[in-house]
Amino acid sequence: MDLLVVKYPDGYDDEDIITFRNAQNEIVECVEVKTEDTLYLVKVSKRLVTAMEDYDVDEDNVNNDDLDVNELEDK
């Protein structure tokens, strides 16, 4: 979540979204986040937007070890 908030402090725009079809031929929209040695594609969803907004407000009270990336995906 730190990487997302740092890269997209004001949220992401349409031009930041990468769109592709997965193995089930479903359209998937993601945003890209890079570290020194890894490239992450984070699925765009309403939950992601909410998580980023909540994280921005509560960033001083968050322990990064408690973050669960799976909570960001739509079920």
Side-chain angles (χ1 to χ4, degrees):
M1 191 58 70
D2 283 337
L3 296 171
L4 281 170
V5 174
V6 168
K7 183 166 183 179
Y8 306 106
D10 298 321
Y12 49 85
D13 294 322
D14 288 341
E15 65 262 6
D16 298 318
I17 296 175
I18 298 168
T19 305
F20 63 93
R21 289 194 179 267
N22 65 12
Q24 291 77 32
N25 206 31
E26 301 167 328
I27 295 175
V28 179
E29 296 182 330
C30 301
V31 289
E32 181 181 283
V33 181
K34 293 181 184 179
T35 64
E36 204 171 291
D37 60 348
T38 307
L39 171 73
Y40 296 96
L41 292 177
V42 181
K43 185 177 177 183
V44 172
S45 68
K46 291 179 185 178
R47 291 183 70 183
L48 175 62
V49 173
T50 302
M52 288 179 70
E53 289 171 353
D54 290 347
Y55 184 82
D56 191 38
V57 171
D58 296 331
E59 66 184 2
D60 294 331
N61 300 323
V62 173
N63 179 349
N64 291 335
D65 295 336
D66 294 338
L67 294 175
D68 184 357
V69 175
N70 293 323
E71 290 180 358
L72 299 178
E73 294 183 8
D74 286 334
K75 295 183 179 182

